Amino acid sequence: MTSLKAPGLLKEVNKIDAVKPEKVSQWEMGYKSIIWEKLFIDLNYYQAKYTDFIKDTKVMTFHNNNPFADKNATLDTLAGLIGNGLYDLYFVDSNADQDVVSEGFSAGATYNILDNFSLNANTTWAQTITDDAQTKLEFNTPEWKWNLGFSVRR
């Protein structure tokens, strides 16, 4: 098995800064229209910039004051520590070091069939723009979502 080098994966931390509230500034634009009195469409695009985005920082405390000090540890080596009871792992809220930008687009349409039936569809695309892979994972938004529907009004 090949070990993957992970320089910088472990950092000695004596203090974690207090968490600051995250701030977001956002803009969006959109268009809605009814066409042929039967088709309703809705399109929009947004972009949001987060400052002090709140994310998890994983903190390892080692037992018996015996720190694992290999700064060039491999992921295999770190994974081996999990089952050996050599440390406790905590998840601590912290702020991202850089701004995080999120952008997205959504499109939806509803078509009325006769007086009581309608078909609808929508899709949403969203992405997070940051160089920090862990922050990108914690934004917790799928890149694509979609929905199809059929409804009856009585």
Side-chain angles (χ1 to χ4, degrees), residues 47-95:
Q47 190 174 74
K49 179 181 173 185
Y50 292 82
T51 303
D52 296 322
F53 182 78
I54 297 175
K55 65 175 193 153
D56 285 338
T57 295
K58 290 152 193 71
V59 177
M60 297 169 71
T61 58
F62 293 91
H63 297 207
N64 302 325
N65 289 330
N66 187 13
F68 182 77
D70 183 358
K71 301 280 191 232
N72 293 313
T74 66
L75 293 178
D76 292 340
T77 304
L78 294 175
L81 296 175
I82 293 172
N84 292 337
L86 297 176
Y87 72 92
D88 292 319
L89 179 64
Y90 300 93
F91 294 85
V92 180
D93 287 338
S94 64
N95 295 105

mmCIF file of all heavy atoms in Angstrom, residues 47-95:
data_model
loop_
_atom_site.group_PDB
_atom_site.id
_atom_site.type_symbol
_atom_site.label_atom_id
_atom_site.label_comp_id
_atom_site.label_asym_id
_atom_site.label_seq_id
_atom_site.Cartn_x
_atom_site.Cartn_y
_atom_site.Cartn_z
ATOM 1 N N GLN A 47 -24.813 35.378 -5.701
ATOM 2 C CA GLN A 47 -23.436 35.224 -5.242
ATOM 3 C C GLN A 47 -23.372 35.773 -3.816
ATOM 4 O O GLN A 47 -23.910 36.839 -3.541
ATOM 5 C CB GLN A 47 -22.459 35.956 -6.154
ATOM 6 C CG GLN A 47 -21.011 35.609 -5.831
ATOM 7 C CD GLN A 47 -20.063 36.219 -6.833
ATOM 8 O OE1 GLN A 47 -19.822 37.427 -6.813
ATOM 9 N NE2 GLN A 47 -19.525 35.389 -7.714
ATOM 10 N N ALA A 48 -22.731 35.015 -2.934
ATOM 11 C CA ALA A 48 -22.611 35.403 -1.528
ATOM 12 C C ALA A 48 -21.153 35.309 -1.106
ATOM 13 O O ALA A 48 -20.454 34.367 -1.477
ATOM 14 C CB ALA A 48 -23.479 34.504 -0.653
ATOM 15 N N LYS A 49 -20.710 36.273 -0.322
ATOM 16 C CA LYS A 49 -19.334 36.285 0.193
ATOM 17 C C LYS A 49 -19.399 36.220 1.718
ATOM 18 O O LYS A 49 -19.976 37.096 2.357
ATOM 19 C CB LYS A 49 -18.606 37.544 -0.252
ATOM 20 C CG LYS A 49 -17.188 37.639 0.260
ATOM 21 C CD LYS A 49 -16.553 38.934 -0.214
ATOM 22 C CE LYS A 49 -15.196 39.153 0.400
ATOM 23 N NZ LYS A 49 -14.659 40.456 0.033
ATOM 24 N N TYR A 50 -18.816 35.154 2.279
ATOM 25 C CA TYR A 50 -18.791 34.953 3.724
ATOM 26 C C TYR A 50 -17.441 35.390 4.276
ATOM 27 O O TYR A 50 -16.396 34.975 3.789
ATOM 28 C CB TYR A 50 -18.984 33.474 4.070
ATOM 29 C CG TYR A 50 -20.354 32.950 3.744
ATOM 30 C CD1 TYR A 50 -20.677 32.547 2.459
ATOM 31 C CD2 TYR A 50 -21.319 32.850 4.727
ATOM 32 C CE1 TYR A 50 -21.936 32.070 2.157
ATOM 33 C CE2 TYR A 50 -22.585 32.366 4.441
ATOM 34 C CZ TYR A 50 -22.884 31.974 3.153
ATOM 35 O OH TYR A 50 -24.124 31.497 2.854
ATOM 36 N N THR A 51 -17.484 36.195 5.319
ATOM 37 C CA THR A 51 -16.291 36.572 6.069
ATOM 38 C C THR A 51 -16.403 35.890 7.430
ATOM 39 O O THR A 51 -17.490 35.864 8.020
ATOM 40 C CB THR A 51 -16.217 38.097 6.234
ATOM 41 O OG1 THR A 51 -16.234 38.704 4.940
ATOM 42 C CG2 THR A 51 -14.963 38.522 6.965
ATOM 43 N N ASP A 52 -15.304 35.326 7.903
ATOM 44 C CA ASP A 52 -15.286 34.583 9.165
ATOM 45 C C ASP A 52 -16.241 33.383 9.131
ATOM 46 O O ASP A 52 -16.923 33.084 10.116
ATOM 47 C CB ASP A 52 -15.621 35.495 10.361
ATOM 48 C CG ASP A 52 -14.581 36.576 10.564
ATOM 49 O OD1 ASP A 52 -13.385 36.285 10.379
ATOM 50 O OD2 ASP A 52 -14.966 37.711 10.911
ATOM 51 N N PHE A 53 -16.281 32.697 8.001
ATOM 52 C CA PHE A 53 -17.115 31.495 7.845
ATOM 53 C C PHE A 53 -16.796 30.521 8.976
ATOM 54 O O PHE A 53 -15.635 30.253 9.276
ATOM 55 C CB PHE A 53 -16.839 30.853 6.487
ATOM 56 C CG PHE A 53 -17.676 29.646 6.201
ATOM 57 C CD1 PHE A 53 -18.990 29.789 5.806
ATOM 58 C CD2 PHE A 53 -17.149 28.372 6.322
ATOM 59 C CE1 PHE A 53 -19.776 28.678 5.529
ATOM 60 C CE2 PHE A 53 -17.923 27.254 6.047
ATOM 61 C CZ PHE A 53 -19.233 27.413 5.653
ATOM 62 N N ILE A 54 -17.824 30.010 9.643
ATOM 63 C CA ILE A 54 -17.619 29.102 10.774
ATOM 64 C C ILE A 54 -17.483 27.673 10.256
ATOM 65 O O ILE A 54 -18.326 27.193 9.504
ATOM 66 C CB ILE A 54 -18.770 29.209 11.783
ATOM 67 C CG1 ILE A 54 -18.793 30.627 12.373
ATOM 68 C CG2 ILE A 54 -18.620 28.171 12.897
ATOM 69 C CD1 ILE A 54 -19.958 30.909 13.288
ATOM 70 N N LYS A 55 -16.395 27.021 10.670
ATOM 71 C CA LYS A 55 -16.115 25.650 10.245
ATOM 72 C C LYS A 55 -15.574 24.873 11.434
ATOM 73 O O LYS A 55 -15.313 25.437 12.492
ATOM 74 C CB LYS A 55 -15.096 25.647 9.107
ATOM 75 C CG LYS A 55 -13.733 26.163 9.522
ATOM 76 C CD LYS A 55 -12.743 26.033 8.396
ATOM 77 C CE LYS A 55 -11.334 26.251 8.938
ATOM 78 N NZ LYS A 55 -10.351 25.566 8.160
ATOM 79 N N ASP A 56 -15.430 23.565 11.269
ATOM 80 C CA ASP A 56 -14.854 22.719 12.310
ATOM 81 C C ASP A 56 -13.344 22.676 12.170
ATOM 82 O O ASP A 56 -12.815 22.600 11.068
ATOM 83 C CB ASP A 56 -15.349 21.270 12.184
ATOM 84 C CG ASP A 56 -16.775 21.098 12.649
ATOM 85 O OD1 ASP A 56 -17.247 21.931 13.434
ATOM 86 O OD2 ASP A 56 -17.420 20.127 12.217
ATOM 87 N N THR A 57 -12.669 22.706 13.310
ATOM 88 C CA THR A 57 -11.239 22.422 13.358
ATOM 89 C C THR A 57 -11.094 21.153 14.187
ATOM 90 O O THR A 57 -11.668 21.051 15.267
ATOM 91 C CB THR A 57 -10.460 23.580 14.009
ATOM 92 O OG1 THR A 57 -10.586 24.729 13.177
ATOM 93 C CG2 THR A 57 -8.984 23.236 14.159
ATOM 94 N N LYS A 58 -10.382 20.200 13.660
ATOM 95 C CA LYS A 58 -10.176 18.946 14.372
ATOM 96 C C LYS A 58 -8.945 19.091 15.256
ATOM 97 O O LYS A 58 -7.885 19.459 14.784
ATOM 98 C CB LYS A 58 -10.017 17.789 13.392
ATOM 99 C CG LYS A 58 -11.330 17.480 12.706
ATOM 100 C CD LYS A 58 -11.109 16.891 11.338
ATOM 101 C CE LYS A 58 -12.368 16.869 10.538
ATOM 102 N NZ LYS A 58 -12.828 18.165 10.100
ATOM 103 N N VAL A 59 -9.105 18.819 16.547
ATOM 104 C CA VAL A 59 -8.029 18.959 17.514
ATOM 105 C C VAL A 59 -7.765 17.592 18.135
ATOM 106 O O VAL A 59 -8.683 16.938 18.619
ATOM 107 C CB VAL A 59 -8.401 19.977 18.619
ATOM 108 C CG1 VAL A 59 -7.299 20.069 19.660
ATOM 109 C CG2 VAL A 59 -8.697 21.336 18.009
ATOM 110 N N MET A 60 -6.498 17.173 18.115
ATOM 111 C CA MET A 60 -6.095 15.904 18.716
ATOM 112 C C MET A 60 -5.314 16.203 19.983
ATOM 113 O O MET A 60 -4.391 17.012 19.969
ATOM 114 C CB MET A 60 -5.201 15.113 17.751
ATOM 115 C CG MET A 60 -5.884 14.718 16.468
ATOM 116 S SD MET A 60 -4.725 14.070 15.226
ATOM 117 C CE MET A 60 -4.300 12.496 15.926
ATOM 118 N N THR A 61 -5.707 15.579 21.082
ATOM 119 C CA THR A 61 -4.909 15.660 22.299
ATOM 120 C C THR A 61 -4.359 14.265 22.563
ATOM 121 O O THR A 61 -5.102 13.282 22.529
ATOM 122 C CB THR A 61 -5.730 16.149 23.503
ATOM 123 O OG1 THR A 61 -6.817 15.271 23.714
ATOM 124 C CG2 THR A 61 -6.235 17.557 23.273
ATOM 125 N N PHE A 62 -3.071 14.173 22.804
ATOM 126 C CA PHE A 62 -2.407 12.887 22.963
ATOM 127 C C PHE A 62 -2.313 12.499 24.431
ATOM 128 O O PHE A 62 -2.106 13.356 25.296
ATOM 129 C CB PHE A 62 -1.015 12.934 22.313
ATOM 130 C CG PHE A 62 -1.103 13.077 20.829
ATOM 131 C CD1 PHE A 62 -1.108 14.334 20.235
ATOM 132 C CD2 PHE A 62 -1.207 11.963 20.027
ATOM 133 C CE1 PHE A 62 -1.213 14.459 18.868
ATOM 134 C CE2 PHE A 62 -1.309 12.090 18.656
ATOM 135 C CZ PHE A 62 -1.314 13.339 18.066
ATOM 136 N N HIS A 63 -2.463 11.231 24.716
ATOM 137 C CA HIS A 63 -2.400 10.719 26.075
ATOM 138 C C HIS A 63 -0.953 10.668 26.551
ATOM 139 O O HIS A 63 -0.016 10.568 25.756
ATOM 140 C CB HIS A 63 -3.008 9.324 26.122
ATOM 141 C CG HIS A 63 -4.462 9.312 25.762
ATOM 142 N ND1 HIS A 63 -5.332 8.373 26.226
ATOM 143 C CD2 HIS A 63 -5.222 10.139 24.991
ATOM 144 C CE1 HIS A 63 -6.549 8.599 25.760
ATOM 145 N NE2 HIS A 63 -6.489 9.667 24.994
ATOM 146 N N ASN A 64 -0.745 10.716 27.871
ATOM 147 C CA ASN A 64 0.561 10.566 28.509
ATOM 148 C C ASN A 64 1.564 11.626 28.052
ATOM 149 O O ASN A 64 2.762 11.362 28.032
ATOM 150 C CB ASN A 64 1.148 9.174 28.261
ATOM 151 C CG ASN A 64 0.228 8.093 28.756
ATOM 152 O OD1 ASN A 64 -0.449 8.274 29.770
ATOM 153 N ND2 ASN A 64 0.183 6.981 28.052
ATOM 154 N N ASN A 65 1.086 12.780 27.643
ATOM 155 C CA ASN A 65 1.990 13.848 27.178
ATOM 156 C C ASN A 65 2.999 13.334 26.165
ATOM 157 O O ASN A 65 4.158 13.713 26.168
ATOM 158 C CB ASN A 65 2.729 14.507 28.351
ATOM 159 C CG ASN A 65 1.798 15.352 29.175
ATOM 160 O OD1 ASN A 65 0.837 15.899 28.647
ATOM 161 N ND2 ASN A 65 2.062 15.444 30.466
ATOM 162 N N ASN A 66 2.575 12.433 25.335
ATOM 163 C CA ASN A 66 3.460 11.825 24.347
ATOM 164 C C ASN A 66 2.964 12.239 22.956
ATOM 165 O O ASN A 66 2.335 11.453 22.270
ATOM 166 C CB ASN A 66 3.450 10.305 24.499
ATOM 167 C CG ASN A 66 4.474 9.641 23.600
ATOM 168 O OD1 ASN A 66 5.341 10.311 23.052
ATOM 169 N ND2 ASN A 66 4.354 8.344 23.445
ATOM 170 N N PRO A 67 3.236 13.481 22.556
ATOM 171 C CA PRO A 67 2.686 13.963 21.285
ATOM 172 C C PRO A 67 3.286 13.247 20.082
ATOM 173 O O PRO A 67 4.431 12.823 20.099
ATOM 174 C CB PRO A 67 3.046 15.443 21.272
ATOM 175 C CG PRO A 67 4.241 15.543 22.152
ATOM 176 C CD PRO A 67 4.084 14.476 23.202
ATOM 177 N N PHE A 68 2.455 13.124 19.090
ATOM 178 C CA PHE A 68 2.891 12.581 17.809
ATOM 179 C C PHE A 68 3.455 13.760 17.037
ATOM 180 O O PHE A 68 2.728 14.622 16.586
ATOM 181 C CB PHE A 68 1.696 11.960 17.091
ATOM 182 C CG PHE A 68 2.043 11.335 15.787
ATOM 183 C CD1 PHE A 68 2.670 10.103 15.749
ATOM 184 C CD2 PHE A 68 1.744 11.970 14.599
ATOM 185 C CE1 PHE A 68 2.977 9.512 14.544
ATOM 186 C CE2 PHE A 68 2.052 11.384 13.392
ATOM 187 C CZ PHE A 68 2.670 10.153 13.366
ATOM 188 N N ALA A 69 4.757 13.819 16.914
ATOM 189 C CA ALA A 69 5.391 15.035 16.424
ATOM 190 C C ALA A 69 5.885 14.943 14.991
ATOM 191 O O ALA A 69 6.599 15.809 14.533
ATOM 192 C CB ALA A 69 6.562 15.395 17.336
ATOM 193 N N ASP A 70 5.512 13.910 14.276
ATOM 194 C CA ASP A 70 5.991 13.753 12.905
ATOM 195 C C ASP A 70 5.229 14.695 11.986
ATOM 196 O O ASP A 70 4.103 14.434 11.594
ATOM 197 C CB ASP A 70 5.817 12.302 12.447
ATOM 198 C CG ASP A 70 6.374 12.054 11.054
ATOM 199 O OD1 ASP A 70 6.870 13.023 10.435
ATOM 200 O OD2 ASP A 70 6.301 10.911 10.589
ATOM 201 N N LYS A 71 5.834 15.825 11.663
ATOM 202 C CA LYS A 71 5.172 16.833 10.828
ATOM 203 C C LYS A 71 4.968 16.346 9.392
ATOM 204 O O LYS A 71 4.191 16.916 8.645
ATOM 205 C CB LYS A 71 5.991 18.125 10.805
ATOM 206 C CG LYS A 71 6.206 18.730 12.167
ATOM 207 C CD LYS A 71 4.995 19.491 12.625
ATOM 208 C CE LYS A 71 5.328 20.289 13.853
ATOM 209 N NZ LYS A 71 4.454 20.099 14.960
ATOM 210 N N ASN A 72 5.689 15.286 8.984
ATOM 211 C CA ASN A 72 5.527 14.723 7.641
ATOM 212 C C ASN A 72 4.763 13.418 7.691
ATOM 213 O O ASN A 72 5.012 12.500 6.918
ATOM 214 C CB ASN A 72 6.894 14.517 6.984
ATOM 215 C CG ASN A 72 7.571 15.840 6.698
ATOM 216 O OD1 ASN A 72 6.943 16.747 6.165
ATOM 217 N ND2 ASN A 72 8.825 15.955 7.076
ATOM 218 N N ALA A 73 3.819 13.328 8.608
ATOM 219 C CA ALA A 73 3.049 12.098 8.785
ATOM 220 C C ALA A 73 2.282 11.758 7.508
ATOM 221 O O ALA A 73 1.874 12.634 6.760
ATOM 222 C CB ALA A 73 2.062 12.273 9.936
ATOM 223 N N THR A 74 2.113 10.468 7.317
ATOM 224 C CA THR A 74 1.278 10.029 6.211
ATOM 225 C C THR A 74 -0.140 9.846 6.723
ATOM 226 O O THR A 74 -0.369 9.681 7.926
ATOM 227 C CB THR A 74 1.782 8.693 5.630
ATOM 228 O OG1 THR A 74 1.619 7.688 6.622
ATOM 229 C CG2 THR A 74 3.229 8.788 5.192
ATOM 230 N N LEU A 75 -1.099 9.879 5.825
ATOM 231 C CA LEU A 75 -2.482 9.645 6.222
ATOM 232 C C LEU A 75 -2.641 8.239 6.790
ATOM 233 O O LEU A 75 -3.428 8.011 7.701
ATOM 234 C CB LEU A 75 -3.418 9.861 5.030
ATOM 235 C CG LEU A 75 -3.508 11.303 4.538
ATOM 236 C CD1 LEU A 75 -4.416 11.395 3.318
ATOM 237 C CD2 LEU A 75 -3.979 12.244 5.616
ATOM 238 N N ASP A 76 -1.884 7.275 6.267
ATOM 239 C CA ASP A 76 -1.939 5.906 6.798
ATOM 240 C C ASP A 76 -1.496 5.881 8.260
ATOM 241 O O ASP A 76 -2.089 5.203 9.090
ATOM 242 C CB ASP A 76 -1.033 4.967 5.983
ATOM 243 C CG ASP A 76 -1.560 4.741 4.571
ATOM 244 O OD1 ASP A 76 -2.759 4.967 4.343
ATOM 245 O OD2 ASP A 76 -0.761 4.337 3.722
ATOM 246 N N THR A 77 -0.446 6.617 8.575
ATOM 247 C CA THR A 77 0.061 6.657 9.946
ATOM 248 C C THR A 77 -0.975 7.261 10.879
ATOM 249 O O THR A 77 -1.250 6.735 11.958
ATOM 250 C CB THR A 77 1.369 7.476 10.025
ATOM 251 O OG1 THR A 77 2.310 6.921 9.118
ATOM 252 C CG2 THR A 77 1.939 7.464 11.422
ATOM 253 N N LEU A 78 -1.586 8.360 10.464
ATOM 254 C CA LEU A 78 -2.603 8.997 11.301
ATOM 255 C C LEU A 78 -3.814 8.099 11.482
ATOM 256 O O LEU A 78 -4.376 8.008 12.570
ATOM 257 C CB LEU A 78 -3.019 10.338 10.698
ATOM 258 C CG LEU A 78 -1.939 11.413 10.678
ATOM 259 C CD1 LEU A 78 -2.444 12.647 9.954
ATOM 260 C CD2 LEU A 78 -1.478 11.743 12.077
ATOM 261 N N ALA A 79 -4.216 7.408 10.434
ATOM 262 C CA ALA A 79 -5.353 6.491 10.536
ATOM 263 C C ALA A 79 -5.043 5.366 11.516
ATOM 264 O O ALA A 79 -5.927 4.889 12.228
ATOM 265 C CB ALA A 79 -5.696 5.925 9.157
ATOM 266 N N GLY A 80 -3.787 4.937 11.600
ATOM 267 C CA GLY A 80 -3.402 3.886 12.526
ATOM 268 C C GLY A 80 -3.517 4.307 13.976
ATOM 269 O O GLY A 80 -3.661 3.476 14.865
ATOM 270 N N LEU A 81 -3.474 5.602 14.252
ATOM 271 C CA LEU A 81 -3.600 6.092 15.621
ATOM 272 C C LEU A 81 -5.025 5.975 16.148
ATOM 273 O O LEU A 81 -5.244 5.916 17.349
ATOM 274 C CB LEU A 81 -3.158 7.555 15.703
ATOM 275 C CG LEU A 81 -1.692 7.855 15.401
ATOM 276 C CD1 LEU A 81 -1.473 9.356 15.401
ATOM 277 C CD2 LEU A 81 -0.787 7.178 16.402
ATOM 278 N N ILE A 82 -5.985 5.948 15.247
ATOM 279 C CA ILE A 82 -7.392 5.975 15.651
ATOM 280 C C ILE A 82 -7.735 4.804 16.565
ATOM 281 O O ILE A 82 -8.337 4.978 17.607
ATOM 282 C CB ILE A 82 -8.314 5.994 14.414
ATOM 283 C CG1 ILE A 82 -8.145 7.322 13.681
ATOM 284 C CG2 ILE A 82 -9.761 5.773 14.794
ATOM 285 C CD1 ILE A 82 -8.842 7.383 12.349
ATOM 286 N N GLY A 83 -7.343 3.605 16.187
ATOM 287 C CA GLY A 83 -7.717 2.427 16.960
ATOM 288 C C GLY A 83 -6.801 2.115 18.122
ATOM 289 O O GLY A 83 -7.069 1.202 18.893
ATOM 290 N N ASN A 84 -5.736 2.854 18.304
ATOM 291 C CA ASN A 84 -4.770 2.528 19.337
ATOM 292 C C ASN A 84 -4.998 3.253 20.655
ATOM 293 O O ASN A 84 -4.246 3.043 21.601
ATOM 294 C CB ASN A 84 -3.347 2.848 18.848
ATOM 295 C CG ASN A 84 -2.935 1.919 17.728
ATOM 296 O OD1 ASN A 84 -3.474 0.827 17.598
ATOM 297 N ND2 ASN A 84 -1.996 2.343 16.915
ATOM 298 N N GLY A 85 -5.997 4.121 20.747
ATOM 299 C CA GLY A 85 -6.263 4.841 21.981
ATOM 300 C C GLY A 85 -5.165 5.799 22.382
ATOM 301 O O GLY A 85 -4.984 6.093 23.555
ATOM 302 N N LEU A 86 -4.417 6.300 21.399
ATOM 303 C CA LEU A 86 -3.304 7.189 21.709
ATOM 304 C C LEU A 86 -3.726 8.653 21.820
ATOM 305 O O LEU A 86 -2.949 9.475 22.270
ATOM 306 C CB LEU A 86 -2.213 7.064 20.640
ATOM 307 C CG LEU A 86 -1.552 5.692 20.530
ATOM 308 C CD1 LEU A 86 -0.559 5.679 19.376
ATOM 309 C CD2 LEU A 86 -0.869 5.319 21.835
ATOM 310 N N TYR A 87 -4.932 8.970 21.404
ATOM 311 C CA TYR A 87 -5.347 10.369 21.436
ATOM 312 C C TYR A 87 -6.860 10.472 21.539
ATOM 313 O O TYR A 87 -7.587 9.504 21.318
ATOM 314 C CB TYR A 87 -4.858 11.120 20.207
ATOM 315 C CG TYR A 87 -5.593 10.742 18.944
ATOM 316 C CD1 TYR A 87 -6.722 11.456 18.548
ATOM 317 C CD2 TYR A 87 -5.193 9.680 18.155
ATOM 318 C CE1 TYR A 87 -7.421 11.114 17.405
ATOM 319 C CE2 TYR A 87 -5.874 9.341 17.015
ATOM 320 C CZ TYR A 87 -6.986 10.056 16.643
ATOM 321 O OH TYR A 87 -7.678 9.721 15.516
ATOM 322 N N ASP A 88 -7.330 11.667 21.872
ATOM 323 C CA ASP A 88 -8.742 12.023 21.811
ATOM 324 C C ASP A 88 -8.894 13.042 20.696
ATOM 325 O O ASP A 88 -8.039 13.911 20.511
ATOM 326 C CB ASP A 88 -9.219 12.645 23.128
ATOM 327 C CG ASP A 88 -9.227 11.632 24.265
ATOM 328 O OD1 ASP A 88 -9.626 10.474 24.022
ATOM 329 O OD2 ASP A 88 -8.835 12.002 25.386
ATOM 330 N N LEU A 89 -9.983 12.923 19.968
ATOM 331 C CA LEU A 89 -10.248 13.822 18.847
ATOM 332 C C LEU A 89 -11.453 14.686 19.186
ATOM 333 O O LEU A 89 -12.497 14.174 19.595
ATOM 334 C CB LEU A 89 -10.520 13.021 17.573
ATOM 335 C CG LEU A 89 -10.838 13.801 16.305
ATOM 336 C CD1 LEU A 89 -9.645 14.648 15.895
ATOM 337 C CD2 LEU A 89 -11.209 12.839 15.181
ATOM 338 N N TYR A 90 -11.297 15.996 19.026
ATOM 339 C CA TYR A 90 -12.369 16.949 19.284
ATOM 340 C C TYR A 90 -12.621 17.762 18.022
ATOM 341 O O TYR A 90 -11.715 18.000 17.233
ATOM 342 C CB TYR A 90 -11.976 17.923 20.415
ATOM 343 C CG TYR A 90 -11.687 17.252 21.722
ATOM 344 C CD1 TYR A 90 -10.382 16.889 22.053
ATOM 345 C CD2 TYR A 90 -12.704 16.984 22.622
ATOM 346 C CE1 TYR A 90 -10.107 16.275 23.269
ATOM 347 C CE2 TYR A 90 -12.433 16.361 23.834
ATOM 348 C CZ TYR A 90 -11.132 16.007 24.149
ATOM 349 O OH TYR A 90 -10.868 15.401 25.331
ATOM 350 N N PHE A 91 -13.861 18.209 17.876
ATOM 351 C CA PHE A 91 -14.218 19.108 16.791
ATOM 352 C C PHE A 91 -14.564 20.454 17.426
ATOM 353 O O PHE A 91 -15.491 20.543 18.228
ATOM 354 C CB PHE A 91 -15.405 18.572 16.000
ATOM 355 C CG PHE A 91 -15.090 17.304 15.268
ATOM 356 C CD1 PHE A 91 -15.180 16.082 15.902
ATOM 357 C CD2 PHE A 91 -14.687 17.346 13.945
ATOM 358 C CE1 PHE A 91 -14.876 14.917 15.235
ATOM 359 C CE2 PHE A 91 -14.379 16.183 13.267
ATOM 360 C CZ PHE A 91 -14.473 14.968 13.912
ATOM 361 N N VAL A 92 -13.805 21.470 17.096
ATOM 362 C CA VAL A 92 -13.954 22.789 17.697
ATOM 363 C C VAL A 92 -14.341 23.777 16.597
ATOM 364 O O VAL A 92 -13.721 23.805 15.532
ATOM 365 C CB VAL A 92 -12.614 23.226 18.348
ATOM 366 C CG1 VAL A 92 -12.745 24.601 18.969
ATOM 367 C CG2 VAL A 92 -12.167 22.203 19.380
ATOM 368 N N ASP A 93 -15.364 24.583 16.871
ATOM 369 C CA ASP A 93 -15.743 25.614 15.906
ATOM 370 C C ASP A 93 -14.637 26.658 15.804
ATOM 371 O O ASP A 93 -14.046 27.052 16.803
ATOM 372 C CB ASP A 93 -17.047 26.304 16.325
ATOM 373 C CG ASP A 93 -18.265 25.431 16.116
ATOM 374 O OD1 ASP A 93 -18.193 24.499 15.306
ATOM 375 O OD2 ASP A 93 -19.288 25.686 16.768
ATOM 376 N N SER A 94 -14.380 27.081 14.589
ATOM 377 C CA SER A 94 -13.393 28.125 14.349
ATOM 378 C C SER A 94 -13.792 28.877 13.083
ATOM 379 O O SER A 94 -14.688 28.449 12.361
ATOM 380 C CB SER A 94 -11.988 27.533 14.208
ATOM 381 O OG SER A 94 -11.932 26.697 13.070
ATOM 382 N N ASN A 95 -13.115 29.979 12.841
ATOM 383 C CA ASN A 95 -13.394 30.761 11.640
ATOM 384 C C ASN A 95 -12.403 30.414 10.539
ATOM 385 O O ASN A 95 -11.223 30.179 10.815
ATOM 386 C CB ASN A 95 -13.303 32.259 11.938
ATOM 387 C CG ASN A 95 -14.366 32.706 12.911
ATOM 388 O OD1 ASN A 95 -14.079 32.945 14.072
ATOM 389 N ND2 ASN A 95 -15.597 32.811 12.462
#
